[in-house]
Amino acid sequence: MQDIDLRQLRCLVAIVDEGTFTDAAIALGVSQAAVSRAVASLERALGVRLLRRTSREVTPTATGVRVVAQARRVLADVSDLVREATSGHTRLRVGYAWSALGRHTVAFQRRWSAAHRDTDLHLVRVNSPSAGLAEGACDLAVVRRPLDDRRFGTALVGLERRLCALAADDPLARRRSVRLADLADRLLLVDRRTGTATPGLWPPECRPATEETRDVDDWLTVIAAGRGIGVTAESTAHQYPRPGIVYRPVRDAEPVAVRLAWWRDDPHPARQAVLELLTDLYRAG
């Protein structure tokens, strides 16, 4: 693998796209001999023929077709890498696990676009403890559980009420609100990776039985069927209204803290602007 480089891949793709070694050399701005040497060295490194040469044309072999397709992906990935590193952070990816920013989601996107036209905002759902931050899927993350990882810095942006998600025909659905004690004998659906509800919300002597779920759609499906209940942040109700499910406030449960998270050693330049905007949105209610 150490004998394969991007120059070889570019030459191979150019030959296939342009049709001849001569035209490929012109497109790349190098000599025809350099193109020939690059492809020959690539074929030696791989131990296979990639191109079929005749006096009239150059076409890829069956193996060459597959290698060219992969080479295009590699070159595209490298191009994205360079663009990401040199773009001056013109793209901002904000990760979240379940429910983005709830009722503030649309306002956040619109206000950001109006005030920061030079930085494209993308919301990314990643159901991991860091909402995609540790995985490299985002630049900043909205989290609703403490991040016990010293690599990340966090700041509180707001609080959300805890709600109980119930089947619409559940007897508790007729109430305007519920208490934790009302739920103690129910099956509580929990996401141990990213969920905000744990049996620890209840006193030790009256904790509900739990069943693990790993995705918000599965969570909603089980609740709608009346097989369990969920306790979640208020944002979930705004993000996932669903026929057959009602959300009721849990009036004796502490609110959920919403935090913005970032890499301590490499915070995105937009961090402070995002922090201020989210704080303003939550403060406005």
Side-chain angles (χ1 to χ4, degrees), residues 30-46:
V30 298
S31 68
Q32 181 177 335
V35 171
S36 297
R37 287 195 298 271
V39 172
S41 63
L42 178 60
E43 289 181 325
R44 285 195 301 272
L46 295 176

Side-chain angles (χ1 to χ4, degrees), residues 41-247:
S41 63
L42 178 60
E43 289 181 325
R44 285 195 301 272
L46 295 176
V48 294
R49 285 286 300 277
L50 299 174
L51 298 174
R52 187 179 294 107
R53 306 163 179 84
T54 70
S55 58
R56 294 184 177 180
E57 62 180 359
V58 179
T59 58
T61 64
T63 299
V65 170
R66 297 193 297 272
V67 172
V68 168
Q70 185 66 37
R72 292 188 193 279
R73 290 192 288 271
V74 170
L75 293 173
D77 287 343
V78 172
S79 179
D80 288 343
L81 182 152
V82 172
R83 189 181 305 112
E84 179 71 20
T86 61
S87 64
H89 294 284
T90 59
R91 179 181 66 165
L92 171 62
R93 302 166 301 166
V94 178
Y96 65 95
W98 271 42
S99 51
L101 299 160
R103 63 181 172 179
H104 304 303
T105 302
V106 173
F108 173 57
Q109 294 176 95
R110 290 183 174 177
R111 287 179 57 175
W112 182 267
S113 296
H116 304 275
R117 296 184 182 279
D118 58 339
T119 303
D120 292 331
L121 173 66
H122 301 272
L123 298 183
V124 184
R125 183 160 78 94
V126 182
N127 199 34
S128 76
S130 68
L133 203 56
E135 293 79 6
C138 61
D139 308 298
L140 302 170
V142 175
V143 295
R144 292 177 172 83
R145 283 172 46 153
L147 278 179
D148 298 324
D149 192 323
R150 297 178 63 85
R151 296 177 299 171
F152 305 127
T154 64
L156 180 71
V157 296
L159 300 174
E160 295 176 349
R161 294 184 301 167
R162 289 188 196 267
L163 305 184
C164 178
L166 302 153
D169 59 355
D170 189 296
L172 291 177
R174 294 194 292 268
R175 301 186 185 182
R176 297 182 63 179
S177 64
V178 298
R179 293 183 178 274
L180 288 170
D182 299 327
L183 311 174
D185 60 348
R186 302 300 187 90
L187 177 65
L188 176 69
L189 301 173
V190 298
D191 183 337
R192 301 189 191 283
R193 294 173 301 168
T194 62
T196 57
T198 70
L201 290 173
W202 285 262
E205 66 276 8
C206 60
R207 289 177 175 170
T210 62
E211 179 177 303
E212 187 165 3
T213 185
R214 301 182 67 82
D215 182 82
V216 64
D217 288 316
D218 294 340
W219 183 81
L220 292 166
T221 299
V222 175
I223 292 171
R227 292 164 42 204
I229 59 103
V231 174
T232 186
E234 183 177 4
S235 54
T236 305
H238 292 280
Q239 196 82 353
Y240 298 102
R242 182 69 61 91
I245 290 180
V246 298
Y247 295 91

